[in-house]
Amino acid sequence: MPTGAGKLLTWYIRHRPGETASLLGEICLRARVESDLHPAKVGSLFRRSLTLDSGLDGKTIDTLLDMALPPSAHDHRKR
C-alpha cells in the first residue's frame, strides 16, 4: 500500500476503532472480488504497511489485525 494509505488507515484505526473491523473486512472482500487476492495476502499487506508507516509496535499491530480481519485473513503474522 502507498505510504499515504497506511497513514490514513492508522488515523482511522485511532479515531474510529469501533469501525475498523468492518472497514478491513470490506477491503478484504473487495480485494478478493475485484483483484482475486486471497484475504491472507491482504492481511499480510496490512501488516507490512502498518509496520512501516503507523508507528505502532508489532504486538499492537498483531492484536489489532487478529481482532479486525476476517478469519480467512489471519495468516498475516511474520514467519
Side-chain angles (χ1 to χ4, degrees):
M1 283 194 298
T3 300
K7 289 182 179 183
L8 179 61
L9 182 59
T10 302
W11 181 93
Y12 196 86
I13 290 166
R14 289 183 173 160
H15 291 89
R16 300 200 182 264
E19 299 171 25
T20 299
S22 62
L23 174 68
L24 296 183
E26 178 68 21
I27 292 170
C28 284
L29 176 63
R30 285 182 178 243
R32 179 64 169 204
V33 171
E34 296 174 9
S35 301
D36 198 30
L37 286 176
H38 191 276
K41 178 67 174 175
V42 178
S44 177
L45 293 170
F46 278 138
R47 185 185 201 297
R48 185 178 322 143
S49 180
L50 290 171
T51 298
L52 294 173
D53 299 325
S54 72
L56 301 171
D57 63 83
K59 183 178 179 181
T60 301
I61 292 169
D62 285 340
T63 300
L64 169 71
L65 294 179
D66 285 345
M67 291 186 314
L69 290 175
S72 57
H74 279 189
D75 191 20
H76 58 79
R77 294 179 184 261
K78 285 185 175 178
R79 304 266 183 238

